[in-house]
Amino acid sequence: MAAHHLIVGGQRSGKSRHAERLALRWQADGARRVLVVATAQAHDDEMRDRIARHRADRPAGFDTVEAPLQLADTLREHAAPDRLLLVDCLTLWLTNWLMPMAGEPRWEDWRGECATLQRLLPTLASPVLFVSNEVGWGVMPMGREVRAYVDELGRLNQLVARHCAQLTLMVAGQPWTHPVQDLDDPSIDLGPQDHQS
């Protein structure tokens, strides 16, 4: 199994920049390639500018493919031992499914896509760097749809983390990286437990 890595953080915390730095290091070690799997969709001028900025800032030699919805199929199609896949980002991938600009949320299709990704990751030939937002630390959203989205992103991040070797939290441009632990493993010391909560 390739060693996957999840990078999470708030808006403008340096997630994409750090992922690109890690990808450059990986690429520099021999004849290796990097493919950016971009999930954003340009629905307005601000988003078009943001996507253009990301493309302009991306290191030379990185290839790009767009996968706004069918992420699992795209990863499977492009996976190879000498290619690192950089998914930027899970947050927008989920947005495309559950908060589309046109039409209704596609919950059943989303659950199927999520299950496919979960089955794929342990067998994928490529290592994957996932970028995602951590949005659950702020004020609880008032709208039911937004609350459902925040909950689902938290579940998605946990699902992906379980298939990663490392997890990085970005704060003010600084990375905190830790090995992912199997919290169901009884040999892992989880520290003092408060059984009253």
Side-chain angles (χ1 to χ4, degrees):
M1 169 186 152
H4 308 314
H5 189 152
L6 173 62
I7 301 170
V8 298
Q11 196 76 2
R12 292 283 178 235
S13 60
K15 303 179 300 295
S16 296
R17 183 66 53 90
H18 185 62
E20 289 169 357
R21 280 195 298 262
L22 293 177
L24 277 171
R25 287 182 205 160
W26 190 88
Q27 187 182 45
D29 187 18
R32 293 173 160 183
R33 298 168 291 162
V34 173
L35 178 69
V36 177
V37 182
T39 62
Q41 292 182 298
H43 291 296
D44 56 38
D45 289 341
E46 188 273 335
M47 200 62 190
R48 277 188 281 277
D49 290 344
R50 185 181 290 256
I51 291 170
R53 251 191 335 270
H54 268 278
R55 285 180 180 153
D57 293 344
R58 208 164 277 152
F62 284 19
D63 296 319
T64 302
V65 64
E66 295 183 359
L69 292 171
Q70 306 303 329
L71 179 59
D73 286 348
T74 302
L75 295 179
R76 183 187 296 110
E77 178 184 348
H78 293 282
D82 65 342
R83 176 183 287 144
L84 182 141
L85 304 174
L86 196 172
V87 176
D88 197 358
C89 66
L90 293 176
T91 315
L92 292 174
W93 180 51
L94 177 63
T95 301
N96 297 336
W97 281 104
L98 300 189
M99 303 180 80
M101 294 297 289
E104 295 296 315
R106 297 165 55 188
W107 279 96
E108 289 307 313
D109 292 339
W110 160 250
R111 290 186 181 109
E113 179 72 11
C114 225
T116 301
L117 180 65
Q118 188 169 10
R119 289 191 300 270
L120 175 67
L121 287 179
T123 65
L124 202 63
S126 285
V128 184
L129 276 173
F130 290 99
V131 175
S132 189
N133 285 70
E134 179 53 73
V135 299
W137 290 350
V139 176
M140 179 59 67
M142 294 296 291
R144 181 173 57 86
E145 294 85 0
V146 179
R147 285 198 304 273
Y149 173 85
V150 170
D151 287 348
E152 193 64 20
L153 181 59
R155 283 189 282 269
L156 174 60
N157 286 344
Q158 290 187 50
L159 180 152
V160 170
R162 284 196 295 272
H163 294 284
C164 290
Q166 293 192 92
L167 171 67
T168 294
L169 173 65
M170 296 298 300
V171 179
Q174 298 298 308
W176 273 267
T177 301
H178 194 277
V180 173
Q181 297 180 328
D182 178 1
L183 299 181
D184 295 324
D185 183 345
S187 68
I188 292 178
D189 180 11
L190 299 178
Q193 301 298 301
D194 181 0
H195 297 291
Q196 298 179 4
S197 58

